[in-house]
Amino acid sequence: MSTPAVLDDRDEWHQDALRWIETYALSGLTFTVEDVRAALRPAPSGSCYGNAFQAARKAGVITCAGYRESTTPSRKSGIIRVWVASPKETS
């Protein structure tokens, strides 16, 4: 039995997002979900963004550096996390 295309795309998007997060974290700069949205194709589902960031956090790749207001109009200045590489990733 084959895997539905939607699940394949979700897994592919997740892997692409994790690679982007890991690579960007190595730059030492802070970043947010808005940076991922700008860099990658749209996620198959809105929850994919949070899932990617939480997977990277659990893997010890990133840590929360603070919070700021979103600049995405649909978020209406909602609070988003600012991320940075975990200390072990930068050493």
Side-chain angles (χ1 to χ4, degrees):
M1 179 180 250
S2 65
T3 304
V6 172
L7 292 180
D8 287 343
D9 187 47
R10 186 180 293 246
D11 291 340
E12 185 179 322
W13 188 93
H14 184 80
Q15 291 307 314
D16 290 346
L18 285 177
R19 276 191 293 277
W20 189 94
I21 291 168
E22 290 170 359
T23 301
Y24 201 89
L26 290 174
S27 75
L29 300 173
T30 60
F31 57 97
T32 70
V33 67
E34 292 173 341
D35 297 306
V36 174
R37 286 183 195 267
L40 298 178
R41 68 191 180 284
S45 163
S47 65
C48 291
Y49 295 99
N51 291 341
F53 276 92
Q54 290 309 311
R57 183 192 57 78
K58 279 186 170 186
V61 173
I62 58 174
T63 190
C64 182
Y67 301 87
R68 71 166 178 79
E69 288 185 1
S70 174
T71 59
T72 302
S74 63
R75 296 273 299 131
K76 299 178 181 170
S77 299
I79 300 300
I80 58 174
R81 283 188 172 120
V82 176
W83 298 94
V84 68
S86 292
K88 72 175 186 172
E89 288 295 312
T90 57
S91 39

